[in-house]
Amino acid sequence: MFGFLRKLFGSFSGGTNPFAPWRDKVNQGIPNSNGMPTSIEEGMEWQAADFVAAFSHSGSPIDGSKLDYSEASLALVDQVLDDFHRRREPLPDDLHFLTSAYVFEVARRAFGGRYLRGDKDNPFVLAIGRGEAEIGVCVMAKVRGRVVNGPEDSIPFFYAGIAPVVASGRGAMLI
């Protein structure tokens, strides 16, 4: 971990971590014998795939076959979150995590990066680039914000802001 993200978030140890049950085994070099992910990246990939699977059945509110990790697919994610916003229902924690993982993986497939430990509002941050050009992408608070605040926290709009920052070559934190 490099740059200002290290100063903000420190190392990936301690604190609440949804991947904690297997993290210690991975860090100790214990082989993956129980079907658990071997890295944070793999864990996030699996969670994103679970998001896709959750919407890949008949009667789903969105067409899960269009959840192809493209920028365009984020409109479907936004639609799911908008349904919660319109009904004024809180986003369940498990769906919050799966949704965040999907948005993270769309960004990581397009821009690369690695996951770092975050804070209470953003337990994970996608770090793109290194050194002075390191960009932290805080998806988790944005996903929750979309449900609470509505269209002002649009996921497609948020995502569209990543490419210009990456192209600028300057470090930033996207919240």
Side-chain angles (χ1 to χ4, degrees), residues 41-154:
E41 287 72 21
E42 184 177 58
M44 221 36 106
E45 289 172 10
W46 290 7
Q47 296 296 313
D50 284 349
F51 177 81
V52 173
F55 293 99
S56 295
H57 58 82
S58 63
S60 175
I62 61 172
D63 183 355
S65 70
K66 293 183 179 174
L67 292 171
D68 59 3
Y69 298 91
S70 67
E71 182 173 357
S73 73
L74 294 176
L76 295 171
V77 173
D78 205 61
Q79 181 181 333
V80 169
L81 299 174
D82 190 58
D83 287 345
F84 281 92
H85 172 74
R86 289 178 187 271
R87 290 183 298 185
R88 295 192 160 115
E89 291 181 17
L91 187 63
D93 287 342
D94 56 346
L95 185 56
H96 174 242
F97 194 81
L98 295 179
T99 306
S100 297
Y102 182 82
V103 176
F104 271 138
E105 283 299 299
V106 170
R108 191 168 73 94
R109 289 176 184 210
F111 303 105
R114 66 220 176 278
Y115 295 105
L116 304 177
R117 180 180 147 240
D119 59 17
K120 181 180 175 220
D121 293 329
N122 289 289
F124 291 95
V125 176
L126 178 62
I128 301 168
R130 300 221 183 244
E132 297 298 317
E134 188 171 60
I135 300 161
V137 181
C138 298
V139 167
M140 298 183 86
K142 185 58 71 174
V143 166
R144 191 161 313 276
R146 177 59 178 91
V147 171
V148 173
N149 302 323
E152 72 184 58
D153 278 330
S154 163

Side-chain angles (χ1 to χ4, degrees), residues 11-22:
S11 66
F12 194 61
S13 62
T16 302
N17 176 357
F19 296 123
W22 57 267

